[in-house]
Amino acid sequence: MVPLSRVWRQLLWGVPGVLESVDVAPAEAARPPGRQYDDNHPAPVHRDTSVPGTAFGNSHHPPSHDAENTRVRIRKGSHNMNRNTPARRRPGRRVAVAAGLVLALGLGVSTQVAAQAAAVPAPTKASAKASTALRSVSGFNGDVVTQVADFYGAYIDAKDDAAGPDTALAKALRAHYLAPAFAKRLEAWEKKNQVDGVLRAQNVPVQWTVSEGGNGLEVVVTLTFGGGESPTTTTRFVVKQEPTGHITDIRTTSIAPAATSAKTSAKTSAKASAAVRSVSGRTGDSVTQVADFYGAYVDAKDAPAGPDAALARALRAHYLTPAFAKRLEAWEKKNNVDGVLRAQNVPVDWTVSEGGNGLEVVVTLTFGGGESPTVRTNLVVGLEPVFGDVTGIRTTSAR
């Protein structure tokens, strides 16, 4: 039996000879290799005319993603998808010596378990969860928040284009989303104030948020300008819609979204704030840039007065590379369906999520609902590495 005093002296001073340390390193989970697809030869789409929105591809392995109701943007082409889990530090020699000494002294099962737990680092749950969570944004056809977010997202993209403002797209967006009477008043306001009436500024915001307003026909838009070496300024205004979906007013306000009166309890205020739906983003991020495209494109195809062909053309001209736009037109003539949606009708909701790398995003379109069967189509959208324009759309699954 080793004297207790000698044991603790060896523990404290790190004298070798009682137990050699053993480094315990957690095994890294093996990642399966990514699935490869032939983008030059898209599989033909077979449609079942009895099921609305059906479009089938050549694979039945939909990419997985966790939906979050958030839009986040970076400048075109600067999207970094590196989600490596931080390396865990191995336990030091002194911890291993302590565990071995406790076991050698036979201090009981419970003490042994505690010592073993001290020698092996606990799994970092937060880090693992953060590494697997994928950024995504979802939209719902006919939803007020979604429509205003589609408008502002695509409008900011048009104003922030690398080659200069895309005036054709900006004009088509205003013609689609603004009521004619309000559009005329807004033009007069812009001439008087010499700023863009939609953004209430001469430049483009770096960040924006669209949130539910005080009633079903109003939303609150918050734009953040500046950042970096420039001072940050925030502009907030209320956007009002008519029942048909056209914007009838934009007015500045100092009231934050979901503001509550002083008499409201903190618990009730927190619950009400958590229930408010909002969509946020930063200019140029690949996920929300594709979401802007698909959201506005769905709105154009599903306009109350019929498809808005002018807006659909302007969106395709802005977001698609010329070479891919030409290939897509040929594909549509052959398959007789819309090449962007891969269907003849319009989805009821959609989700855009991160893909396997920074040059791909995943688009999930849901068709049907109600009395019609629900059909879900998964697409992979390829992006150009410099400016982030769409270079390809391929179907991975439909079910």
Side-chain angles (χ1 to χ4, degrees):
M1 177 68 69
V2 181
L4 184 61
S5 59
R6 180 183 173 189
V7 171
W8 292 117
R9 281 200 304 273
Q10 290 177 332
L11 172 61
L12 294 173
W13 294 100
V15 178
V18 177
L19 179 68
E20 291 297 326
S21 65
V22 179
D23 287 344
V24 181
E28 294 185 4
R31 295 184 179 180
R35 185 176 178 87
Q36 301 296 323
Y37 300 90
D38 186 359
D39 195 28
N40 295 325
H41 303 281
V45 172
H46 305 285
R47 291 178 287 104
D48 182 356
T49 56
S50 63
V51 181
T54 304
F56 297 91
N58 63 334
S59 174
H60 300 280
H61 299 279
S64 61
H65 59 83
D66 300 326
E68 299 175 11
N69 196 19
T70 350
R71 286 187 181 178
V72 187
R73 314 189 169 188
I74 312 164
R75 297 280 310 173
K76 279 190 177 182
S78 63
H79 187 52
N80 187 353
M81 301 293 294
N82 188 356
R83 297 188 302 274
N84 294 331
T85 305
R88 298 191 179 101
R89 187 181 303 171
R90 292 185 176 186
R93 175 184 177 86
R94 202 175 296 269
V95 176
V97 172
L101 286 173
V102 173
L103 291 173
L105 292 171
L107 297 180
V109 176
S110 61
T111 310
Q112 293 177 18
V113 173
Q116 292 171 353
V120 181
T124 310
K125 295 182 180 180
S127 176
K129 185 176 181 180
S131 65
T132 57
L134 300 179
R135 292 187 296 107
S136 67
V137 55
S138 297
F140 309 95
N141 199 357
D143 173 60
V144 174
V145 173
T146 299
Q147 287 183 342
V148 175
D150 295 341
F151 171 50
Y152 269 87
Y155 192 83
I156 290 170
D157 290 344
K159 289 290 186 176
D160 195 48
D161 190 56
D166 187 341
T167 55
L169 177 57
K171 184 178 179 180
L173 289 165
R174 290 170 71 130
H176 178 86
Y177 287 98
L178 305 183
F182 174 63
K184 190 174 181 179
R185 296 202 316 270
L186 192 64
E187 289 179 4
W189 185 93
E190 289 173 325
K191 289 180 181 179
K192 179 180 179 181
N193 293 276
Q194 295 298 307
V195 296
D196 187 287
V198 175
L199 303 178
R200 291 295 197 269
Q202 291 178 326
N203 53 345
V204 178
V206 296
Q207 185 172 325
W208 54 265
T209 300
V210 178
S211 308
E212 290 177 333
N215 58 63
L217 295 177
E218 288 185 349
V219 297
V220 178
V221 177
T222 304
L223 303 181
T224 302
F225 299 84
E229 297 181 356
S230 304
T232 299
T233 59
T234 300
T235 301
R236 183 176 293 115
F237 38 85
V238 175
V239 176
K240 185 178 180 180
Q241 280 191 323
E242 60 185 5
T244 58
H246 288 117
I247 294 174
T248 59
D249 190 31
I250 299 174
R251 65 181 187 274
T252 56
T253 181
S254 59
I255 302 176
T260 54
S261 64
K263 296 181 179 180
T264 307
S265 66
K267 186 175 181 180
T268 304
S269 176
K271 185 176 180 181
S273 178
V276 172
R277 198 171 87 79
S278 65
V279 176
S280 299
R282 293 195 302 267
T283 51
D285 168 60
S286 59
V287 172
T288 46
Q289 188 171 290
V290 174
D292 295 340
F293 171 45
Y294 268 86
Y297 193 83
V298 169
D299 292 343
K301 289 290 185 176
D302 197 47
D308 188 339
L311 177 56
R313 283 195 303 268
L315 289 166
R316 290 169 72 131
H318 179 86
Y319 288 100
L320 308 183
T321 61
F324 174 62
K326 189 175 181 179
R327 296 201 316 269
L328 192 64
E329 289 179 3
W331 185 93
E332 289 173 325
K333 290 179 181 179
K334 180 180 178 180
N335 294 275
N336 198 31
V337 296
D338 187 285
V340 175
L341 303 177
R342 289 299 197 266
Q344 290 179 326
N345 53 346
V346 179
V348 294
D349 61 66
W350 47 264
T351 299
V352 178
S353 308
E354 288 179 335
N357 57 64
L359 299 180
E360 289 184 346
V361 296
V362 178
V363 178
T364 302
L365 306 178
T366 303
F367 299 86
E371 297 180 356
S372 303
T374 299
V375 177
R376 188 168 289 110
T377 301
N378 291 321
L379 310 173
V380 173
V381 177
L383 303 175
E384 193 268 337
V386 179
F387 300 111
D389 295 332
V390 176
T391 60
I393 300 173
R394 66 180 187 269
T395 305
T396 59
S397 68
R399 62 184 188 277

